Every structure is written in C-alpha cells, then in structure tokens.
Amino acid sequence: ALMALSHALLIGARSALSLYLGVCLCGLAYGALWTLVPTLSVELYGLRHFAATYGVFSIAATAASLLYSTELATKVFDAHATAAREGDEGEGPQCDGDACFRLTHVVVIAGCVAGAIGAALLTLRTREFYMNTLAKIE
C-alpha cells in the first residue's frame, strides 16, 4: 500500500517536495519489503526450503523490475515522446509532462494493489495458525 501511495504521489508530482516525498516513500516501501522477505520465507515455507524460496522471491522481483523498466516504461515513453528538433540540445526523442510515464505508474499501482490484496488474503489464511501459536506461548 505504501508503494502504491508513493507512485500516486509521483504521478501528480508538481513540485520538488512531492517528487522527493514520493521517491522517499518508494525507497522506504522497497526497503521494508526486503527486510521482511527472509522472515516471510522461513515462516511460510520453513527453514529447510529457505534457499529455494528466497531465490524465487528474488527472481520474481528481478523479473518484474526488468519487465516494468525495460518493456513497459520504455514503450510508454516512446509512445509519448517526440523526435528532437534539428539544432536542439541532446539527442533522441524527448518527452515533457506527466504523460510520459503516467501509464507506467498506473500499472505499478495496480500491481501494488494486487499485492496488497494477496497479503491480506495470506494474513487471513495464516491467522488461525498464528493465533494457536500465540495461545501455546501464553
């Protein structure tokens, strides 16, 4: 949810402050996720299969990052970019405005919402197990 909020801020960033806030929230959400991945991997799949499940988590994140950055963001930018005029500084296509990456942010937000729904379903599914575990401790 925090990652979705950060991308929503980045879509509507009209000032440097909102841009910095969106980037900081994105980094916080990403860092928080990766500190929890080892624990989640052990809790959900056991220590015996830790290396395999941690590897799957890592490959999934890498694959999604690759698809979002090289395929989606590039295609969206190219669709909104215009060729540089003769004599302009810089080379290649240029794009001004939030339309350059708006669709990319919307797709990432949709992925974050799907992930949040998945996390909520996982919480509901494992709730009884953790309630029983806490009852045994007390």
Side-chain angles (χ1 to χ4, degrees):
L2 188 59
M3 184 69 83
L5 176 64
S6 70
H7 280 278
L9 281 170
L10 290 172
I11 285 177
R14 301 284 186 255
S15 67
L17 178 64
S18 61
L19 179 66
Y20 291 141
L21 185 60
V23 169
C24 288
L25 282 176
C26 187
L28 179 68
Y30 193 74
L33 170 72
W34 283 106
T35 58
L36 292 174
V37 165
T39 304
L40 290 171
S41 180
V42 169
E43 286 288 320
L44 295 173
Y45 302 103
L47 191 55
R48 181 180 173 154
H49 304 289
F50 174 71
T53 56
Y54 187 75
V56 169
F57 278 123
S58 298
I59 289 172
T62 303
S65 177
L66 183 66
L67 288 174
Y68 283 161
S69 64
T70 58
E71 293 299 320
L72 179 65
T74 305
K75 300 277 191 280
V76 170
F77 178 83
D78 287 344
H80 291 91
T82 58
R85 289 177 292 183
E86 195 67 34
D88 279 352
E89 291 291 322
E91 298 174 15
Q94 296 179 0
C95 189
D96 294 319
D98 60 355
C100 300
F101 293 103
R102 177 180 293 277
L103 180 61
T104 303
H105 288 297
V106 170
V107 170
V108 170
I109 289 170
C112 290
V113 169
I117 291 169
L121 292 174
L122 181 64
T123 301
L124 291 174
R125 185 173 177 197
T126 59
R127 184 179 187 144
E128 186 177 327
F129 169 76
Y130 286 110
M131 295 302 278
N132 291 337
T133 303
L134 286 175
K136 290 177 186 177
I137 293 172
E138 294 174 353

